[in-house]
Amino acid sequence: MTIDKQLVWVRDPNEGFVLARLHELMGEEADIIPIDNKHQRRVCSFEDIFPAGEPNKDVNDNCELMFLNEATLLNNILTRYSKNKIYTYVANILLAVNPYEDIRDLYSSSTIKNYQGRSLGELPPHVFAIADKAFRDMKSLKQSQSIIVSGESGAGKTESTKYILKYLCDLWAKGAGPVEQKILDANPILEAFGNAKTTRNNNSSRFGKFMEVHFNNKYQVVGGYISHYLLEKSRICTQSAEERNYHVFYLLCAGAPPELRAQLKLTKPDDYAYLKNGCTQYFTTPASEKKLNSSQKSKQQQAKGGLRDPILDDVEDFQRLHQALSRVGLSEEEKAGVYRVVAGVLHLGNVEFEDDDGSRGGCVPRDRCLPSLQAAADLLAVDAAELRRALVARLLQSARGNKGTAIMVPLKTYEATNARDALAKSVYSRLFDYIVNRINLSIPFQASAYYIGVLDIAGFEYFQMNSFEQFCINYCNEKLQQFFNERILKNEQELYKKEGLNVPEIRFVDNQDCIDLIESKNHGIFHLLDEESKLPKPEFGHFTHSVHKELGTNNPRLQLPRSSRLKAHRTLRDDEGFLLRHFAGAVCYNTNQFIEKNNDALHASLEFLIQESNSPLVKQLFQNVDNNNAKGKLNFISVGAKFQSQLSQLMEKLKQNGTNFVRCIKPNSAMCRRAAEGALVLAQLQCSGTAAVLLLMEHGYPSRAPFAHLHRVYAPHLPPRLAALQPKLFSEAIVHSLGLSDKDYKFGITRVFFRPGKYSEFDTIMRSEPENLKKIVERVLKWIIKSRWRRSIFAVLSIIKLKNKILYRRQCLITIQKTIRGHLVRKQHRPRYQAIMKIKALNANLKDMETTTAQLKKEKESAQKNIENLRTAINSACVTIKSNEKISRSEVDQIYTKLTKDVEAQMAALQKAMVDQKNREEQERLRKIEAEIRAAEEQKRQELEKIKQEEENRRLKVEMETRRKAEELERLRQEEQDRLSAQKMQKQLEEAARAEQEDRERLEQERRDHEMAVRLAKETNGHVEGSPPQLRSFPTMDSMNGENKLNRSERVRMQQAIQGKQKYDLSKWKYSELRDTINTSCDIELLEACRHEFHRRLKVYHAWKAKNARKTTMAEQERAPQSIMEAAAKTPRVTQKGEILGARHRYFRIPFVRPAGGGDPVEADRRGWWYAHFDGQYVARQMELHPDKTPVLLQAGVDDMQMCELSLEETGLTRKRGAEILEHEFEREWSRHGGATYLPPDLRKR
Ligand SMILES: Nc1ncnc2c1ncn2[C@@H]1O[C@H](COP(=O)(O)OP(=O)(O)O)[C@@H](O)[C@H]1O
Ligand SMILES: [Mg+2]
């Protein structure tokens, strides 16, 4: 077997990921054997497999991992968690896993001191480091900062917030001053009134808060401010069985001194309708349990004892609350007033109603509840009889007619009950507002320059029943997620682009559509809800119906409850709820309380009554609040609208500030120490967008500093010579001379960027001892000299190069001119000199004549004279032609013809004379002469012929040229057409890719919905229907033949089989079986089919490897020169034609350039040769000849993993000019480098 046995992580529904080894390649999937045999062997998609690197090593910053992916992220966090290292960075984001136990010294004063003033990354990750970063950023950027703490309920947000505040208020561990102490005191008070035990967290904050710590321009704490959001009101009246009401009720029952309890008439939780349906146990410690007497204990408490939590103790916490209230400035009297209101709410809850037989359909309080009514009235300081009246009847001011006419409309039993609950909620929530306000007033506040705000707000929530509260909080989380995406992903990428850093783009899911769906001005869900409330008879069914009708059509985000994966949701009718797909998963909202919860106004009679209370505190609670009753129905301000405006103010603040993120993670749902559920943690990482950040950081540079900033900060440490440099040169000089690796930083246009953790390394070096600094200064000076020297050398070389280029061009110009001039002159004079040559050729005839003449016996002189005349004529003709440049061709021809004629005539005369002379005796010779003449004629004819031929050729050339031009035009047109169709094709491909991406995102979302549903089902013993989406299917070996195994690749394969009418279905074959068949079979068709399948799997495998390649060593792992891999990537993947190419051997050779490490330009040019021998469609042997390394020789059947897996067609080699070589050329190189003799596949033995 030749598969590399590297460790991989494979996705698992329970553990998140399990460690395994690749066993078989199965096309688009792989057969995987987990290391731990308690996990099943499985076949899964390459999308679910990730290289593992070193699974036992953990790093402070996830970006330092060798392989960056979800799996290594999860493993790193869990490995650290098991070693009690609860904090980890992803670049600048802090991940905090809830330890559920106190870790020694983690938050001690000495730890605070350690983190002060240290760059992020210098010390192990910590919330203190984030707090310190915010503080330093505030100072150096002169900008207020936010720290956004997010996570599920129970993930540790509130605790982290407390530590951050402690750090900020306790800077330099001096201990907190008076202002700081007040800010810290706020927490126990807020928690007593705003926290409660839920199934997910014993101390769950049921409100959101943004706590600002204000600093003056000397960066001293001068004040604070708390904004709070969305206190959960329904909890005041009801809780589910395992949960409790707000802590303060139990604190009073358990911890208040007996006199106070007597005053407030408080006994045990069982006695109050607002407490008795939930959990009625107190949080105690063994010691505090003893302080309780039996009249304080509920039945549950007596049976089961107290609840335990490391930070909660209802008995002792009362004292803490009491003292903290004093410290924020409440007098004894005011505190008593607060307790009375709290107790008043409890007694009010005990007032029950029954139908009143006497009146028209009204109701009265039950007799046995009258003491409670009296107690409530006393505690709230209103008249009991009036309270009774206001609870059972509603004041109606007639809209028309005489103003001021008021009628009392009796209420039905359930209406009175609702009015009572509304009063309780209103009183309690206003009390909460009052307390926050008192805290704010108590914190002295001078003009502040900047602040650091810490946001602790409930994370994304989903229960079996989700109502208006969850809707609001999940809307808030959508906004925060969008803000996170923008800050971290969008802005970061824009900056890289602007600064010219070449970092690949990362996609993230944009949730704007979901936000629009909720908040859009004229048709969002909030808007529809407010519209419904304005109708004369608002009705939740009608509201739900309009949500579905106006927003639900064709909206993947909004669906009917019956499309939920949870059975409990599917029982809801269409008009009872809606399913909203949030970024973190789908949540089904039950709408039946939406309308009531959206309106917190009391009915008028109650409001008037309570405003007239004799208690100054109660009176104050109901002063100057939005009086919805006065505004009337059409103008009322709904809870949703108030929250929307609060949230948009908050978002505005966040946008103006610098941001720091802390992502809290809940390790298990049992809330116990040292236990982690992988899948739960993974789901939270995915929801929080951390995985996407990781992708970005794989190539990104999270730390950066503008040149000017570096100059400002470090110049003072350095000698004036360096300090005087321009910021840019200054930054370059110091960064370059510190000996950081090139990969760790990049220069943008205005700033330097650092890889994770490297800025702090840099900072540490720069702030080191003077000794060390001296060495650095030396190095910087050297670097500057070197860089100046290099720059001038470079300039000189460039100028020389330029000069040479100019000279060369001049030379070329002269040659061009010379040639053209010569050509023109020759063309102009050609007829003349050709004529002269021809005419001169006549001289030869004259010579003949002269010889003839010499033999003449008579008339010799005259003949000689004639010849002499002819010669003169010839010469003068030549002179004429030579001297007359403008002579025309026909004139020349005339002269020539005339001369020829004369010569011929003379010749004839001579001949005649010779005939006469040697009539008989010279018969032979005469004939000879005649023959000669004929030959001369023949020559002349041939010459004419030649001239004609030349002309013909010229004509043909011209014709050819025009044809070529026409073809050229045609070719251009064709190319244009090809380009257009290629564009069209490209568009289609992109379209398809986008569709696939969308498909993937949809599946991802569905998977998340499913996982969420499973979690919920586990918690509630509910039932989930439907199988998980197929993207992440986990078929086991047994189910491989089952029908649900018909996944994507299988379908593709079937289709291929049908299309290609393939004889063999090899998809179920093992990789090793394929290998063996190739090596042993004699069935050529089978053999060929096996080779196709074998190489197809290799291709998928290599694609996966390339996607998950190590960050550093890319070029090393090539199996063929880059040009070939690129060509293959461009050619569409054709299914093999199934044509059997048998033993067609072809040989190729191409050069390659392998980039050398280090990026040194001199070394970069490493050329080598790559040889390949294809026997059929695939490589049988391949060979790399390197200039500086031993050659690499590879053979199919032995080295498949390292060899080029592409088919001949895909490599494009046959289309490369000059690439194909002859067999002996290949064999010569092969044997020269010691290659073994080639064996055809059927002879290869394993
Ligand atoms: N850093 C920590 N160290 C020890 N225990 C912690 C830490 N963070 C959270 N916890 C425990 O987890 C519980 C829930 O944390 P909390 O901050 O209230 O969660 P959240 O505000 O996210 O709902 C706390 O009551 C505490 O017991
Ligand atoms: Mg909390």
Side-chain angles (χ1 to χ4, degrees):
M1 279 300 304
T2 43
I3 303 181
D4 59 352
K5 293 274 184 182
Q6 68 161 307
L7 280 174
V8 293
W9 288 109
V10 51
R11 208 180 282 279
D12 182 274
N14 298 319
E15 309 276 328
F17 286 94
V18 296
L19 205 55
R21 281 189 203 281
L22 278 183
H23 181 63
E24 285 278 353
L25 306 183
M26 313 279 293
E28 261 89 297
E29 297 156 331
D31 180 9
I32 300 285
I33 303 185
I35 300 287
D36 187 339
N37 51 17
K38 80 174 181 220
H39 300 297
Q40 248 174 344
R41 178 172 171 174
R42 61 198 83 190
V43 172
C44 50
S45 155
F46 271 116
E47 294 191 16
D48 294 325
I49 307 173
F50 297 95
E54 300 162 278
N56 296 322
K57 210 178 118 193
D58 69 273
V59 293
N60 283 341
D61 184 339
N62 280 293
C63 298
E64 290 164 26
L65 289 169
M66 183 156 25
F67 296 103
L68 293 182
N69 53 54
E70 263 175 36
T72 53
L73 171 68
L74 177 66
N75 177 56
N76 190 39
I77 290 169
L78 295 184
T79 311
R80 291 172 67 79
Y81 182 63
S82 69
K83 300 181 190 166
N84 250 351
K85 300 188 210 169
I86 60 168
Y87 295 118
T88 311
Y89 294 125
V90 174
N92 290 341
I93 300 165
L94 180 76
L95 302 180
V97 187
N98 187 345
Y100 284 115
E101 67 177 322
D102 283 330
I103 297 173
R104 256 194 60 200
D105 249 7
L106 192 58
Y107 306 105
S108 66
S109 293
S110 61
T111 314
I112 294 189
K113 218 171 191 131
N114 273 345
Y115 276 88
Q116 192 262 317
R118 303 287 196 90
S119 306
L120 206 68
E122 222 178 301
L123 292 177
H126 202 293
V127 257
F128 291 165
I130 293 288
D132 200 75
K133 173 176 177 285
F135 184 69
R136 277 178 297 115
D137 281 355
M138 174 181 78
K139 270 173 38 175
S140 65
L141 306 175
K142 308 221 172 304
Q143 183 193 24
S144 292
Q145 299 288 315
S146 317
I147 301 176
I148 298 182
V149 186
S150 57
E152 310 201 342
S153 179
K157 295 180 297 295
T158 305
E159 293 302 309
S160 303
T161 306
K162 284 192 249 176
Y163 292 125
I164 292 169
L165 289 173
K166 179 168 179 220
Y167 187 87
L168 293 176
C169 290
D170 209 347
L171 269 183
W172 311 308
K174 282 188 310 205
V179 186
E180 290 90 332
Q181 187 55 49
K182 292 225 162 79
I183 296 175
L184 295 177
D185 273 335
N187 270 314
I189 303 174
L190 291 176
E191 287 186 14
F193 287 91
N195 286 23
K197 168 187 155 48
T198 67
T199 51
R200 297 179 186 207
N201 181 357
N202 289 336
N203 187 31
S204 180
S205 333
R206 308 315 299 163
F207 65 103
K209 65 178 187 283
F210 187 61
M211 297 188 77
E212 298 165 20
V213 179
H214 285 258
F215 296 84
N216 63 11
N217 46 20
K218 295 196 189 81
Y219 307 107
Q220 290 157 333
V221 178
V222 290
Y225 191 80
I226 301 167
S227 318
H228 68 107
Y229 309 94
L230 281 183
L231 180 75
E232 182 187 52
K233 289 186 204 158
S234 56
R235 185 168 299 276
I236 298 163
C237 304
T238 54
Q239 316 85 37
S240 56
E242 300 274 289
E243 305 200 340
R244 298 204 316 182
N245 207 325
Y246 289 104
H247 291 329
V248 67
F249 294 112
Y250 307 90
L251 297 192
L252 279 177
C253 291
E259 318 79 63
L260 180 58
R261 274 189 284 122
Q263 263 178 32
L264 302 177
K265 301 199 173 65
L266 286 180
T267 49
K268 54 184 184 296
D270 286 339
D271 296 336
Y272 305 101
Y274 283 169
L275 305 182
K276 70 179 175 202
N277 294 320
C279 163
T280 54
Q281 286 160 283
Y282 298 126
F283 281 101
T284 54
T285 58
S288 65
E289 176 100 39
K290 294 201 188 93
K291 297 190 186 169
L292 292 170
N293 65 45
S294 62
S295 71
Q296 287 173 289
K297 291 185 186 173
S298 68
K299 272 202 210 87
Q300 267 182 15
Q301 177 94 17
Q302 274 163 355
K304 299 191 211 161
L307 298 166
R308 297 275 185 263
D309 186 280
I311 60 169
L312 296 175
D313 179 350
D314 292 332
V315 182
E316 301 299 333
D317 284 349
F318 177 79
Q319 282 311 318
R320 274 178 221 135
L321 170 66
H322 195 70
Q323 285 152 13
L325 283 175
S326 308
R327 281 200 296 271
V328 299
L330 267 74
S331 65
E332 289 303 315
E333 185 45 41
E334 282 171 322
K335 279 189 285 185
V338 169
Y339 301 146
R340 272 203 298 278
V341 171
V342 175
V345 168
L346 279 189
H347 289 291
L348 183 64
N350 282 351
V351 180
E352 290 169 22
F353 303 92
E354 59 191 0
D355 293 349
D356 177 13
D357 305 330
S359 82
R360 316 147 285 166
C363 66
V364 289
R366 284 182 195 275
D367 285 342
R368 62 176 161 84
C369 301
L370 291 177
S372 298
L373 181 70
Q374 186 64 49
D378 291 348
L379 291 166
L380 296 175
V382 292
D383 182 68
E386 280 183 33
L387 176 61
R388 178 195 159 131
R389 224 173 299 134
L391 283 171
V392 298
R394 184 161 59 93
L395 184 73
L396 191 75
Q397 262 158 327
S398 63
R400 274 178 296 161
N402 22 351
K403 266 201 187 137
T405 324
I407 338 163
M408 293 300 282
V409 183
L411 298 177
K412 298 201 178 67
T413 305
Y414 78 91
E415 287 173 327
T417 311
N418 284 346
R420 175 199 71 197
D421 288 349
L423 180 63
K425 288 177 194 173
S426 186
V427 168
Y428 188 85
S429 68
R430 278 167 199 207
L431 180 67
F432 190 70
D433 294 347
Y434 165 81
I435 292 211
V436 175
N437 197 28
R438 284 301 301 258
I439 297 173
N440 282 334
L441 287 176
S442 82
I443 305 174
F445 195 88
Q446 297 156 21
S448 90
Y450 312 102
Y451 68 86
I452 296 179
V454 191
L455 182 68
D456 165 20
I457 202 161
F460 181 74
E461 263 184 10
Y462 53 98
F463 303 98
Q464 196 149 348
M465 272 281 291
N466 301 290
S467 187
F468 189 65
E469 291 85 356
Q470 282 73 40
F471 181 71
C472 287
I473 199 64
N474 290 343
Y475 158 62
C476 167
N477 276 282
E478 287 284 355
K479 295 278 267 193
L480 288 174
Q481 182 66 22
Q482 186 183 44
F483 179 70
F484 176 82
N485 284 344
E486 269 177 20
R487 267 291 144 100
I488 301 284
L489 299 172
K490 200 160 131 206
N491 294 0
E492 188 78 6
Q493 300 198 44
E494 270 165 17
L495 180 68
Y496 289 165
K497 247 188 222 155
K498 215 165 74 191
E499 291 278 343
L501 267 61
N502 193 9
V503 175
E505 205 169 322
I506 305 296
R507 271 183 62 99
F508 56 91
V509 180
D510 186 4
N511 59 344
Q512 183 65 46
D513 56 337
C514 190
I515 292 174
D516 287 344
L517 196 60
I518 298 171
E519 67 168 17
S520 177
K521 273 269 170 322
N522 288 318
H523 40 260
I525 296 176
F526 275 128
H527 172 81
L528 292 180
L529 185 58
D530 287 356
E531 288 300 295
E532 183 72 33
S533 306
K534 290 175 190 166
L535 298 179
K537 265 199 162 27
E539 212 247 316
F540 77 90
H542 179 255
F543 157 68
T544 317
H545 179 73
S546 59
V547 166
H548 287 302
K549 200 176 105 211
E550 300 205 10
L551 308 170
T553 23
N554 280 333
N555 194 334
R557 292 272 193 190
L558 182 72
Q559 280 165 358
L560 294 170
R562 59 178 123 111
S563 61
S564 170
R565 285 175 178 272
L566 214 63
K567 204 170 177 185
H569 294 156
R570 287 211 298 269
T571 52
L572 288 184
R573 285 200 317 269
D574 288 359
D575 62 356
E576 284 179 331
F578 56 85
L579 190 84
L580 200 55
R581 304 201 114 136
H582 291 286
F583 71 93
V587 176
C588 184
Y589 296 100
N590 190 329
T591 49
N592 70 5
Q593 302 261 312
F594 267 49
I595 291 168
E596 291 82 357
K597 288 183 177 175
N598 191 35
N599 185 354
D600 59 357
L602 288 177
H603 69 67
S605 43
L606 268 180
E607 188 160 326
F608 293 147
L609 169 79
I610 200 88
Q611 274 169 349
E612 295 306 312
S613 163
N614 289 325
S615 148
L617 172 64
V618 177
K619 218 170 165 144
Q620 197 181 344
L621 295 185
F622 284 83
Q623 239 172 26
N624 56 36
V625 285
D626 317 309
N627 193 330
N628 277 330
N629 280 310
K631 287 196 189 105
K633 199 161 195 169
L634 294 182
N635 296 319
F636 93 110
I637 302 175
S638 66
V639 175
K642 269 185 248 171
F643 179 54
Q644 266 180 294
S645 82
Q646 275 188 323
L647 187 59
S648 76
Q649 274 172 21
L650 173 68
M651 296 313 295
E652 231 16 78
K653 277 188 186 170
L654 295 184
K655 277 177 192 157
Q656 279 164 12
N657 294 358
T659 327
N660 304 276
F661 289 98
V662 177
R663 295 286 199 196
C664 295
I665 291 168
K666 187 174 179 174
N668 58 66
S669 31
M671 298 191 267
C672 53
R673 55 193 275 266
R674 293 175 191 243
E677 294 162 26
L680 180 76
V681 175
L682 182 64
Q684 294 174 68
L685 290 173
Q686 287 167 338
C687 283
S688 63
T690 318
V693 174
L694 205 65
L695 268 185
L696 179 68
M697 286 313 159
E698 182 170 1
H699 306 279
Y701 297 83
S703 326
R704 71 285 318 264
F707 299 138
H709 175 80
L710 288 184
H711 187 258
R712 198 169 54 238
V713 174
Y714 300 112
H717 300 291
L718 299 173
R721 260 179 83 190
L722 291 181
L725 293 174
Q726 287 294 314
K728 184 165 185 193
L729 182 61
F730 175 85
S731 311
E732 278 177 355
I734 52 177
V735 173
H736 279 298
S737 31
L738 287 193
L740 298 175
S741 155
D742 291 2
K743 285 185 226 110
D744 292 340
Y745 58 86
K746 242 184 186 169
F747 282 94
I749 295 166
T750 64
R751 58 195 84 198
V752 202
F753 291 82
F754 293 93
R755 294 283 300 151
K758 294 299 167 185
Y759 186 28
S760 66
E761 210 172 282
F762 166 82
D763 187 59
T764 320
I765 305 177
M766 287 308 292
R767 294 178 189 279
S768 53
E769 267 66 297
E771 246 337 275
N772 201 359
L773 207 61
K774 224 155 122 198
K775 274 191 216 135
I776 292 170
V777 170
E778 264 166 38
R779 279 216 298 273
V780 172
L781 289 174
K782 245 189 224 157
W783 185 88
I784 292 176
I785 293 170
K786 265 199 228 160
S787 118
R788 285 185 180 147
W789 172 249
R790 262 201 301 263
R791 224 176 290 175
S792 35
I793 292 289
F794 182 74
V796 170
L797 283 176
S798 307
I799 290 172
I800 293 177
K801 224 172 167 178
L802 201 64
K803 185 197 80 180
N804 287 344
K805 203 166 210 165
I806 292 172
L807 287 180
Y808 169 75
R809 288 202 172 158
R810 186 152 81 197
Q811 199 53 47
C812 292
L813 279 178
I814 291 174
T815 312
I816 293 169
Q817 284 176 353
K818 215 161 65 180
T819 317
I820 290 179
R821 280 200 189 120
H823 168 75
L824 289 177
V825 168
R826 269 193 292 277
K827 191 171 149 197
Q828 186 188 353
H829 299 293
R830 189 173 294 123
R832 284 166 57 226
Y833 69 72
Q834 280 178 345
I836 289 173
M837 265 150 62
K838 277 195 294 190
I839 290 171
K840 277 195 177 155
L842 291 176
N843 277 330
N845 292 9
L846 294 191
K847 274 235 170 71
D848 291 346
M849 280 191 238
E850 266 172 354
T851 19
T852 318
T853 317
Q855 290 163 16
L856 276 184
K857 308 245 158 80
K858 50 178 185 179
E859 294 178 43
K860 195 173 185 173
E861 261 90 85
S862 74
Q864 262 167 352
K865 202 160 167 218
N866 279 344
I867 291 171
E868 209 44 52
N869 285 346
L870 276 175
R871 180 165 286 133
T872 333
I874 286 173
N875 285 343
S876 72
C878 284
V879 171
T880 323
I881 294 173
K882 237 187 216 169
S883 59
N884 186 358
E885 282 190 16
K886 301 235 164 57
I887 194 160
S888 73
R889 188 176 261 252
S890 58
E891 275 174 282
V892 174
D893 285 349
Q894 239 172 15
I895 293 173
Y896 175 67
T897 343
K898 186 175 165 292
L899 279 173
T900 332
K901 261 190 202 143
D902 287 356
V903 170
E904 274 170 6
Q906 182 59 27
M907 192 65 120
L910 266 178
Q911 278 165 0
K912 201 152 175 267
M914 280 303 277
V915 168
D916 285 349
Q917 186 187 332
K918 300 183 178 178
N919 208 357
R920 272 168 297 278
E921 45 193 271
E922 294 289 334
Q923 200 65 11
E924 271 316 275
R925 282 186 65 174
L926 197 64
R927 258 212 306 279
K928 211 165 144 195
I929 287 169
E930 227 169 278
E932 275 172 14
I933 288 170
R934 228 172 272 131
E937 273 173 354
E938 175 64 11
Q939 196 191 348
K940 199 183 83 187
R941 200 188 51 74
Q942 277 174 359
E943 262 169 30
L944 283 171
E945 186 84 335
K946 207 167 130 201
I947 289 170
K948 236 163 79 195
Q949 188 64 39
E950 268 172 17
E951 246 152 43
E952 178 68 13
N953 281 348
R954 232 188 333 272
R955 196 185 52 77
L956 282 174
K957 276 229 180 87
V958 169
E959 241 171 48
M960 213 160 77
E961 180 62 17
T962 36
R963 204 167 46 234
R964 198 191 59 75
K965 277 197 184 134
E967 277 168 9
E968 172 90 19
L969 274 177
E970 171 63 15
R971 193 174 57 78
L972 282 178
R973 203 185 51 76
Q974 187 64 37
E975 270 176 14
E976 177 64 17
Q977 215 172 26
D978 288 354
R979 200 176 56 75
L980 286 178
S981 58
Q983 257 175 9
K984 216 160 98 198
M985 176 114 116
Q986 180 69 22
K987 229 190 237 146
Q988 279 170 356
L989 283 176
E990 277 168 15
E991 191 72 21
R994 213 183 37 248
E996 190 177 331
Q997 175 74 19
E998 274 167 14
D999 215 32
R1000 213 201 309 273
E1001 275 166 17
R1002 190 180 51 72
L1003 280 172
E1004 185 67 29
Q1005 171 96 42
E1006 275 177 20
R1007 191 179 59 73
R1008 237 182 254 160
D1009 294 353
H1010 180 79
E1011 277 170 11
M1012 219 168 78
V1014 171
R1015 260 180 80 187
L1016 202 52
K1018 257 192 217 154
E1019 285 174 21
T1020 57
N1021 289 329
H1023 186 58
V1024 179
E1025 301 219 336
S1027 54
Q1030 279 168 355
L1031 180 70
R1032 310 282 187 224
S1033 59
F1034 299 94
T1036 57
M1037 289 304 280
D1038 321 323
S1039 72
M1040 262 181 62
N1041 300 322
E1043 52 177 13
N1044 58 350
K1045 180 61 188 48
L1046 207 61
N1047 57 17
R1048 195 166 40 127
S1049 55
E1050 193 77 3
R1051 284 199 303 274
V1052 170
R1053 230 177 270 140
M1054 274 174 53
Q1055 236 166 6
Q1056 277 177 357
I1058 295 163
Q1059 280 171 357
K1061 295 193 192 61
Q1062 272 179 350
K1063 231 163 111 183
Y1064 305 99
D1065 179 11
L1066 299 174
S1067 56
K1068 300 229 168 58
W1069 284 39
K1070 288 186 176 171
Y1071 178 80
S1072 52
E1073 287 168 347
L1074 291 173
R1075 183 68 274 160
D1076 291 351
T1077 312
I1078 294 173
N1079 285 348
T1080 51
S1081 169
C1082 298
D1083 177 345
I1084 293 197
E1085 268 182 56
L1086 175 64
L1087 193 90
E1088 202 55 30
C1090 285
R1091 289 181 85 185
H1092 284 320
E1093 178 65 17
F1094 181 70
H1095 283 267
R1096 193 173 70 82
R1097 292 185 189 184
L1098 276 181
K1099 268 175 243 171
V1100 176
Y1101 171 74
H1102 285 305
W1104 170 77
K1105 265 196 103 163
K1107 201 178 93 192
N1108 288 295
R1110 272 168 185 239
K1111 286 177 286 180
T1112 45
T1113 53
M1114 297 257 211
E1116 293 293 308
Q1117 297 174 340
E1118 278 166 20
R1119 302 169 304 284
Q1122 210 142 24
S1123 60
I1124 292 204
M1125 301 312 273
E1126 279 163 11
K1130 272 181 223 148
T1131 40
R1133 272 209 185 167
V1134 279
T1135 33
Q1136 300 301 339
K1137 289 184 197 92
E1139 154 197 6
I1140 295 180
L1141 292 160
R1144 255 188 79 193
H1145 295 271
R1146 299 181 74 170
Y1147 304 85
F1148 298 89
R1149 183 188 71 167
I1150 59 162
F1152 65 84
V1153 181
R1154 194 148 282 195
D1160 190 335
V1162 184
E1163 277 190 280
D1165 214 19
R1166 290 210 183 135
R1167 286 178 162 278
W1169 290 100
W1170 186 80
Y1171 287 76
H1173 165 203
F1174 285 78
D1175 57 345
Q1177 270 291 332
Y1178 298 105
V1179 182
R1181 291 180 287 170
Q1182 86 177 44
M1183 171 165 61
E1184 284 171 34
L1185 301 185
H1186 295 269
D1188 52 349
K1189 285 203 286 197
T1190 43
V1192 182
L1193 277 71
L1194 303 168
Q1195 259 181 301
V1198 186
D1199 311 303
D1200 299 284
M1201 278 293 165
Q1202 289 88 48
M1203 290 177 69
C1204 172
E1205 73 282 12
L1206 303 170
S1207 69
L1208 180 55
E1209 211 158 297
E1210 286 167 320
T1211 61
L1213 277 169
T1214 48
R1215 298 185 288 276
K1216 270 209 166 63
R1217 210 200 290 164
E1220 182 148 14
I1221 54 172
L1222 296 172
E1223 179 179 359
H1224 73 262
E1225 291 178 291
F1226 182 90
E1227 294 297 352
R1228 195 179 56 214
E1229 288 297 321
W1230 181 259
S1231 56
R1232 202 164 77 194
H1233 294 107
T1237 358
Y1238 164 70
L1239 286 176
D1242 44 350
L1243 291 183
R1244 285 175 208 153
K1245 287 282 170 281
R1246 300 185 67 200

